[in-house]
């Protein structure tokens, strides 16, 4: 197996998933005509604000240690 603790890696990457989701929402709103009418303008900003919060929650604090499983 390439990454033995893949579940933990995906959990700790949740803040980046928020950034990816915000980028996808912004691209969809810009390129697909009807998506801009459905999505509220504040949704992308709310997802980006959730990114640092997700980082703190998933990693257990701002100064989380890097122990190996």
């Amino acid at each position: 197996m390439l990454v033995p603790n893949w579940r933990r890696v995906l959990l700790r990457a949740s803040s980046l998933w928020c950034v990816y989701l915000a980028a996808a929402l912004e691209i969809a709103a810009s390129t697909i005509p009807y998506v801009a009418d459905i999505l509220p303008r504040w949704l992308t900003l709310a997802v980006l604000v959730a990114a640092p919060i997700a980082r703190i929650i998933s990693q257990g604090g701002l100064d989380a240690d890097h122990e190996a499983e």
Side-chain angles (χ1 to χ4, degrees), residues 15-31 39 43-45 47-48:
S15 62
L16 284 177
W17 288 110
C18 290
V19 174
Y20 299 150
L21 177 62
L25 288 172
E26 193 63 32
I27 290 170
S30 298
T31 57
L39 293 176
L43 184 62
T44 303
L45 182 62
V47 172
L48 284 175

Side-chain angles (χ1 to χ4, degrees), residues 41-67:
R41 300 273 306 156
W42 54 265
L43 184 62
T44 303
L45 182 62
V47 172
L48 284 175
V49 167
I53 297 168
R55 188 237 182 258
I56 293 170
I57 291 172
S58 69
Q59 293 187 1
L62 290 174
D63 56 351
D65 56 350
H66 301 288
E67 74 274 356

